[in-house]
mmCIF file of all heavy atoms in Angstrom:
data_model
loop_
_atom_site.group_PDB
_atom_site.id
_atom_site.type_symbol
_atom_site.label_atom_id
_atom_site.label_comp_id
_atom_site.label_asym_id
_atom_site.label_seq_id
_atom_site.Cartn_x
_atom_site.Cartn_y
_atom_site.Cartn_z
ATOM 1 N N CYS A 153 -5.173 -5.380 12.241
ATOM 2 C CA CYS A 153 -4.428 -4.262 11.638
ATOM 3 C C CYS A 153 -3.386 -3.729 12.617
ATOM 4 O O CYS A 153 -2.239 -3.473 12.248
ATOM 5 C CB CYS A 153 -5.374 -3.127 11.260
ATOM 6 S SG CYS A 153 -6.665 -3.543 10.080
ATOM 7 N N ILE A 154 -3.812 -3.570 13.857
ATOM 8 C CA ILE A 154 -2.936 -3.020 14.895
ATOM 9 C C ILE A 154 -1.794 -3.989 15.187
ATOM 10 O O ILE A 154 -0.646 -3.577 15.342
ATOM 11 C CB ILE A 154 -3.745 -2.732 16.181
ATOM 12 C CG1 ILE A 154 -4.943 -1.811 15.903
ATOM 13 C CG2 ILE A 154 -2.853 -2.179 17.274
ATOM 14 C CD1 ILE A 154 -4.661 -0.593 15.098
ATOM 15 N N ARG A 155 -2.110 -5.289 15.217
ATOM 16 C CA ARG A 155 -1.073 -6.290 15.505
ATOM 17 C C ARG A 155 0.018 -6.316 14.446
ATOM 18 O O ARG A 155 1.179 -6.556 14.757
ATOM 19 C CB ARG A 155 -1.697 -7.686 15.625
ATOM 20 C CG ARG A 155 -2.356 -7.947 16.950
ATOM 21 C CD ARG A 155 -2.668 -9.416 17.134
ATOM 22 N NE ARG A 155 -3.461 -9.990 16.065
ATOM 23 C CZ ARG A 155 -4.787 -10.094 16.069
ATOM 24 N NH1 ARG A 155 -5.473 -9.653 17.108
ATOM 25 N NH2 ARG A 155 -5.424 -10.641 15.056
ATOM 26 N N GLU A 156 -0.340 -6.074 13.169
ATOM 27 C CA GLU A 156 0.674 -6.177 12.122
ATOM 28 C C GLU A 156 1.479 -4.886 11.921
ATOM 29 O O GLU A 156 2.499 -4.903 11.241
ATOM 30 C CB GLU A 156 0.060 -6.642 10.800
ATOM 31 C CG GLU A 156 -0.642 -5.584 10.019
ATOM 32 C CD GLU A 156 -1.172 -6.060 8.676
ATOM 33 O OE1 GLU A 156 -0.916 -7.195 8.245
ATOM 34 O OE2 GLU A 156 -1.856 -5.255 8.035
ATOM 35 N N MET A 157 1.073 -3.791 12.529
ATOM 36 C CA MET A 157 1.774 -2.520 12.319
ATOM 37 C C MET A 157 3.253 -2.553 12.726
ATOM 38 O O MET A 157 4.090 -2.029 11.987
ATOM 39 C CB MET A 157 1.027 -1.370 12.976
ATOM 40 C CG MET A 157 -0.255 -1.028 12.241
ATOM 41 S SD MET A 157 -1.154 0.335 12.968
ATOM 42 C CE MET A 157 -0.386 1.705 12.097
ATOM 43 N N PRO A 158 3.622 -3.158 13.852
ATOM 44 C CA PRO A 158 5.052 -3.216 14.178
ATOM 45 C C PRO A 158 5.867 -3.983 13.122
ATOM 46 O O PRO A 158 6.996 -3.608 12.814
ATOM 47 C CB PRO A 158 5.088 -3.913 15.539
ATOM 48 C CG PRO A 158 3.748 -3.619 16.139
ATOM 49 C CD PRO A 158 2.797 -3.638 14.974
ATOM 50 N N LEU A 159 5.287 -5.019 12.553
ATOM 51 C CA LEU A 159 5.960 -5.772 11.500
ATOM 52 C C LEU A 159 6.137 -4.920 10.241
ATOM 53 O O LEU A 159 7.212 -4.901 9.631
ATOM 54 C CB LEU A 159 5.160 -7.038 11.179
ATOM 55 C CG LEU A 159 5.724 -7.947 10.095
ATOM 56 C CD1 LEU A 159 7.103 -8.461 10.473
ATOM 57 C CD2 LEU A 159 4.774 -9.105 9.852
ATOM 58 N N LEU A 160 5.095 -4.178 9.861
ATOM 59 C CA LEU A 160 5.198 -3.277 8.710
ATOM 60 C C LEU A 160 6.230 -2.190 8.974
ATOM 61 O O LEU A 160 6.972 -1.786 8.068
ATOM 62 C CB LEU A 160 3.837 -2.655 8.398
ATOM 63 C CG LEU A 160 2.756 -3.623 7.912
ATOM 64 C CD1 LEU A 160 1.409 -2.920 7.853
ATOM 65 C CD2 LEU A 160 3.123 -4.216 6.569
ATOM 66 N N ASP A 161 6.301 -1.731 10.217
ATOM 67 C CA ASP A 161 7.280 -0.713 10.584
ATOM 68 C C ASP A 161 8.709 -1.266 10.455
ATOM 69 O O ASP A 161 9.600 -0.587 9.944
ATOM 70 C CB ASP A 161 7.002 -0.204 11.997
ATOM 71 C CG ASP A 161 7.626 1.139 12.269
ATOM 72 O OD1 ASP A 161 7.654 1.994 11.362
ATOM 73 O OD2 ASP A 161 8.090 1.344 13.399
ATOM 74 N N ARG A 162 8.923 -2.506 10.897
ATOM 75 C CA ARG A 162 10.252 -3.135 10.736
ATOM 76 C C ARG A 162 10.595 -3.301 9.261
ATOM 77 O O ARG A 162 11.726 -3.067 8.842
ATOM 78 C CB ARG A 162 10.299 -4.490 11.443
ATOM 79 C CG ARG A 162 10.487 -4.388 12.936
ATOM 80 C CD ARG A 162 10.864 -5.706 13.584
ATOM 81 N NE ARG A 162 9.941 -6.800 13.344
ATOM 82 C CZ ARG A 162 8.826 -7.013 14.042
ATOM 83 N NH1 ARG A 162 8.491 -6.203 15.043
ATOM 84 N NH2 ARG A 162 8.051 -8.038 13.765
ATOM 85 N N PHE A 163 9.606 -3.720 8.463
ATOM 86 C CA PHE A 163 9.815 -3.851 7.012
ATOM 87 C C PHE A 163 10.226 -2.501 6.427
ATOM 88 O O PHE A 163 11.163 -2.418 5.629
ATOM 89 C CB PHE A 163 8.535 -4.372 6.346
ATOM 90 C CG PHE A 163 8.644 -4.549 4.858
ATOM 91 C CD1 PHE A 163 9.206 -5.693 4.325
ATOM 92 C CD2 PHE A 163 8.170 -3.575 3.992
ATOM 93 C CE1 PHE A 163 9.299 -5.862 2.952
ATOM 94 C CE2 PHE A 163 8.258 -3.730 2.620
ATOM 95 C CZ PHE A 163 8.832 -4.882 2.097
ATOM 96 N N HIS A 164 9.535 -1.450 6.838
ATOM 97 C CA HIS A 164 9.872 -0.099 6.374
ATOM 98 C C HIS A 164 11.304 0.281 6.756
ATOM 99 O O HIS A 164 12.050 0.812 5.941
ATOM 100 C CB HIS A 164 8.887 0.916 6.957
ATOM 101 C CG HIS A 164 9.369 2.322 6.872
ATOM 102 N ND1 HIS A 164 9.426 3.024 5.688
ATOM 103 C CD2 HIS A 164 9.860 3.158 7.825
ATOM 104 C CE1 HIS A 164 9.919 4.223 5.918
ATOM 105 N NE2 HIS A 164 10.186 4.331 7.203
ATOM 106 N N ARG A 165 11.689 -0.001 7.995
ATOM 107 C CA ARG A 165 13.045 0.361 8.431
ATOM 108 C C ARG A 165 14.102 -0.434 7.662
ATOM 109 O O ARG A 165 15.160 0.101 7.335
ATOM 110 C CB ARG A 165 13.205 0.132 9.932
ATOM 111 C CG ARG A 165 12.541 1.216 10.766
ATOM 112 C CD ARG A 165 12.973 1.185 12.225
ATOM 113 N NE ARG A 165 12.937 -0.115 12.857
ATOM 114 C CZ ARG A 165 11.875 -0.650 13.451
ATOM 115 N NH1 ARG A 165 10.733 0.019 13.471
ATOM 116 N NH2 ARG A 165 11.942 -1.831 14.022
#
Side-chain angles (χ1 to χ4, degrees):
C153 300
I154 305 312
R155 281 193 305 266
E156 79 177 354
M157 288 181 89
L159 180 61
L160 294 171
D161 200 37
R162 281 194 304 277
F163 180 83
H164 163 73
R165 283 194 312 273

